[in-house]
Amino acid sequence: QSDYVDFSMHETIQRIDAYCSGKHISGSKDALGRDKPFFDIVTSALITRDRATDLDTKNIRILTKKAQQTLLAYFADVLLKDWMRREQFGKFLNKWGYVLAKYDTALIKFTEKNKRLVPEVVPWSSLIVDPLDITKAPIIEKLYLTEAELKQSGYDKQKVKQLLEAERLLLSNSTFQT
């Protein structure tokens, strides 16, 4: 929100998800209690846009501008194709393209898991960003982990312990009204 823009990113994402699922945001019944029909004009547009912007791994190549680097570029291209096949990069590209078509933008991240570089499309529902310009402010991803999962994760053990102690202290000092 700002002084000049009335925009709620959460409401926009909720609206997109509802329309793509064939649901009204105002409920499935009208004022008289009758079922409201949903005229689905969204799905075909979404599929068309997804297909129009489809990117395949065969389209990704490493090229060089200098003739003396052609052999090096060839080997780099072979290694890249091998990595894309191992990591099922084509499936990632399909998911990325669908999210891009659906929300008009998509955030991706590459994480190292078991000494492998894994690409992921981050769901918009788990992000906290500045909706007016996502590149200006920090991008925060909400992670939902149990205490056991957090302890077993690759995060700094001392920081995890401090976080859990702070949470226990906060909960013990809080009064919850039901």
Side-chain angles (χ1 to χ4, degrees):
Q1 298 277 353
S2 81
D3 294 338
Y4 307 105
V5 179
D6 184 22
F7 170 80
S8 169
M9 186 168 182
H10 176 73
E11 289 176 15
T12 302
I13 290 171
Q14 294 292 319
R15 184 180 308 252
I16 291 169
D17 289 341
Y19 288 171
C20 288
S21 299
K23 306 283 184 198
H24 290 283
I25 58 170
S26 59
S28 60
K29 305 279 185 189
D30 65 10
L32 300 175
R34 299 174 296 197
D35 287 336
K36 289 192 292 189
F38 186 85
F39 302 104
D40 187 7
I41 60 170
V42 177
T43 304
S44 62
L46 180 62
I47 291 170
T48 302
R49 183 167 184 200
D50 183 30
R51 287 182 182 162
T53 58
D54 187 34
L55 182 64
D56 293 322
T57 56
K58 67 180 180 198
N59 303 115
I60 300 173
R61 294 183 33 210
I62 295 178
L63 302 174
T64 182
K65 291 184 179 181
K66 298 180 181 178
Q68 61 267 31
Q69 294 178 336
T70 304
L71 188 62
L72 186 61
Y74 173 76
F75 287 125
D77 195 48
V78 168
L79 291 173
L80 177 64
K81 298 285 185 204
D82 181 55
W83 175 81
M84 289 190 294
R85 187 174 43 260
R86 270 187 288 118
E87 296 303 324
Q88 298 179 339
F89 196 66
K91 288 182 180 181
F92 162 77
L93 287 175
N94 290 338
K95 185 174 182 182
W96 172 72
Y98 181 78
V99 170
L100 190 61
K102 186 175 181 181
Y103 298 105
D104 200 35
T105 188
L107 288 178
I108 60 172
K109 68 177 183 177
F110 288 83
T111 54
E112 186 178 337
K113 294 180 183 175
N114 300 326
K115 301 194 184 231
R116 293 177 38 227
L117 188 62
V118 180
E120 296 177 68
V121 178
V122 183
W124 279 108
S125 59
S126 70
L127 290 172
I128 300 172
V129 298
D130 180 355
L132 301 178
D133 189 358
I134 62 174
T135 62
K136 296 287 184 193
I139 297 171
I140 301 168
E141 181 182 7
K142 297 182 275 185
L143 301 174
Y144 300 96
L145 301 172
T146 64
E147 187 173 323
E149 290 172 331
L150 192 57
K151 287 179 179 177
Q152 292 176 354
S153 68
Y155 296 115
D156 183 342
K157 302 294 183 198
Q158 187 63 29
K159 296 288 184 190
V160 168
K161 184 178 178 184
Q162 289 173 353
L163 176 69
L164 293 173
E165 287 174 6
E167 180 190 31
R168 282 190 195 94
L169 182 65
L170 180 68
L171 291 175
S172 66
N173 292 336
S174 298
T175 55
F176 293 101
Q177 297 177 353
T178 56

